[in-house]
Amino acid sequence: MGTLWVVLIAIAALIAGVALGFFIARKYMMNYLKKNPPINEQMLRTLMMQMGQKPSQKKINQMMRAMNNQMDK
């Protein structure tokens, strides 16, 4: 009976550790991406030029705002 409790406690601790680790890692990555966005205006301008579009500042601002809104959700 004692071995059963040890196994159950070990499994519960493992599940709790995995869940806690997942949420901590998720929170860390969200903060990291908010501070260091993966794309900036210059990268967006270069991408649009490579796709054959003439990027206007209005279009760049609109796309950056859309990406920032998506990150906030």
Side-chain angles (χ1 to χ4, degrees):
M1 190 68 173
T3 307
L4 179 64
W5 284 110
V6 170
V7 170
L8 288 177
I9 290 173
I11 290 173
L14 179 66
I15 291 171
V18 167
L20 188 64
F22 171 76
F23 287 112
I24 290 172
R26 183 174 182 267
K27 180 75 172 166
Y28 173 78
M29 285 305 295
M30 289 297 222
N31 286 339
Y32 178 81
L33 288 174
K34 187 172 274 192
K35 291 177 186 173
N36 304 309
I39 193 164
N40 58 21
E41 288 186 19
Q42 185 61 35
M43 290 175 152
L44 195 57
R45 184 174 283 116
T46 304
L47 280 171
M48 290 176 73
M49 289 176 72
Q50 287 177 350
M51 291 188 300
Q53 297 180 8
K54 179 85 170 147
S56 66
Q57 189 62 35
K58 181 179 176 182
K59 191 179 280 190
I60 298 277
N61 291 341
Q62 181 182 13
M63 291 179 77
M64 287 298 292
R65 196 174 325 111
M67 288 184 353
N68 288 336
N69 287 340
Q70 185 68 28
M71 288 290 284
D72 289 341
K73 287 184 179 180

